[in-house]
């Protein structure tokens, strides 16, 4: 369990736009706080071998982490009425999970890691000037890495990052309610407007390491 009080936090803020153009700057808010709970779980999976009478799972380990966070900023009048908003860049939750294999007898190791974060503010808007905040929506990522040793001198590794290749999505809070409705219907009174969407792609790695 944690609590942090922040004096004059630096936040990314949207400048007054001109037409469809948009630029960003940074501003110090008056103060902010961040409070939450973090839970870690680490468990060897050998109990599956005991349950099923096998020897398959003894080299596997699961690692999990979950964090739930409540944050809020307080601004002065020069920044507009931005109080009661979450900290820019702070997700209300993050989940991480990893499945690891270490087979020393085979010279083989592998890891499969998953991560997701909750919706967070990319840049703060100023509602009184009709500028909505830009939110970055949840992004699920998964990475795989496999390493194999040969003859005690050569190690081969292959990996894939961002296996799911999910879209990166940003939405504008057009109704200034500090949350995003992604069911876009081209009507700001019904839903918030997408600002940007793209797929970052998958990243493949291959490496060979030799001991001399």
């Amino acid at each position: 369990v944690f609590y942090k009080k922040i004096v004059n936090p630096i936040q990314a803020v949207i400048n007054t736009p001109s037409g469809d153009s948009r630029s960003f700057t940074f501003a110090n808010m008056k103060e902010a706080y961040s409070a939450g709970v973090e839970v870690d779980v680490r468990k060897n999976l050998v109990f599956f071998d005991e349950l099923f009478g096998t020897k398959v799972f003894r080299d596997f380990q699961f690692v999990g982490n979950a964090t739930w966070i409540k944050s809020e900023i307080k601004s002065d009048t020069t920044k507009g009425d931005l109080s009661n908003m979450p900290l820019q860049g702070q997700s209300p939750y993050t989940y991480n999970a990893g499945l690891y294999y270490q087979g020393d007898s085979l010279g083989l190791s592998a890891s499969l890691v998953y991560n997701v974060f909750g919706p967070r503010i990319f840049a703060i808007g100023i509602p009184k000037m009709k500028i909505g905040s830009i939110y970055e929506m949840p992004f699920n990522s998964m990475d795989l890495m496999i390493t194999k040793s040969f003859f005690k001198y050569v190690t081969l590794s292959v990996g894939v990052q961002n296996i799911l290749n999910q879209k990166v999505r940003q939405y504008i809070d057009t109704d200034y309610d500090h949350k995003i409705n992604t069911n876009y219907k081209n009507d700001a009174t019904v839903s918030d407007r997408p600002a940007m969407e793209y797929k970052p792609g998958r990243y493949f790695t291959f490496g060979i390491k030799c001991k001399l």
Side-chain angles (χ1 to χ4, degrees):
V1 177
F2 61 88
Y3 175 87
K4 300 178 182 179
K5 181 178 180 180
I6 308 169
V7 178
N8 300 134
I10 300 173
Q11 300 282 273
V13 179
I14 303 173
N15 277 331
T16 304
S18 175
D20 289 333
S21 65
R22 186 179 292 107
S23 60
F24 306 94
T25 186
F26 295 92
N28 286 97
M29 302 301 167
K30 184 178 180 181
E31 63 180 46
Y33 77 86
S34 177
V37 178
E38 183 174 5
V39 178
D40 285 293
V41 177
R42 297 174 183 270
K43 180 65 176 176
N44 185 280
L45 302 187
V46 67
F47 67 92
F48 280 121
D49 287 331
E50 299 171 352
L51 183 63
F52 299 114
T54 63
K55 296 182 179 180
V56 177
F57 297 97
R58 60 185 178 183
D59 295 325
F60 285 88
Q61 184 177 33
F62 171 81
V63 177
N65 171 276
T67 307
W68 298 272
I69 300 173
K70 166 70 174 178
S71 66
E72 188 176 292
I73 63 174
K74 292 183 180 180
S75 66
D76 54 45
T77 56
T78 62
K79 310 298 188 305
D81 185 15
L82 302 180
S83 296
N84 305 319
M85 291 185 64
L87 273 165
Q88 177 261 323
Q90 178 64 73
S91 295
Y93 63 83
T94 59
Y95 303 134
N96 302 282
L99 183 63
Y100 298 88
Y101 173 80
Q102 184 66 46
D104 294 331
S105 61
L106 300 175
L108 178 67
S109 63
S111 63
L112 182 65
V113 181
Y114 168 80
N115 167 267
V116 62
F117 59 80
R120 58 195 182 190
I121 297 176
F122 174 79
I124 295 175
I126 304 176
K128 76 173 186 178
M129 300 181 67
K130 304 300 181 182
I131 303 173
S133 298
I134 299 176
Y135 279 74
E136 187 176 3
M137 304 310 294
F139 181 77
N140 295 271
S141 65
M142 183 177 291
D143 301 333
L144 174 67
M145 176 63 71
I146 301 174
T147 303
K148 179 72 170 75
S149 298
F150 297 93
F151 312 114
K152 298 182 180 180
Y153 300 103
V154 179
T155 302
L156 175 68
S157 62
V158 291
V160 186
Q161 295 182 18
N162 194 31
I163 296 174
L164 302 177
N165 196 23
Q166 191 179 48
K167 282 184 178 180
V168 173
R169 301 176 299 150
Q170 292 184 354
Y171 275 72
I172 302 174
D173 181 18
T174 55
D175 55 4
Y176 320 118
D177 63 351
H178 306 326
K179 59 184 179 180
I180 296 296
N181 176 11
T182 59
N183 186 24
Y184 182 59
K185 297 180 180 178
N186 201 29
D187 183 353
T189 64
V190 177
S191 61
D192 298 302
R193 182 162 58 90
M196 179 177 63
E197 289 188 354
Y198 69 93
K199 286 189 175 183
R202 299 179 180 90
Y203 183 68
F204 297 86
T205 59
F206 176 82
I208 298 177
K209 183 167 63 176
C210 301
K211 294 182 181 179
L212 301 179

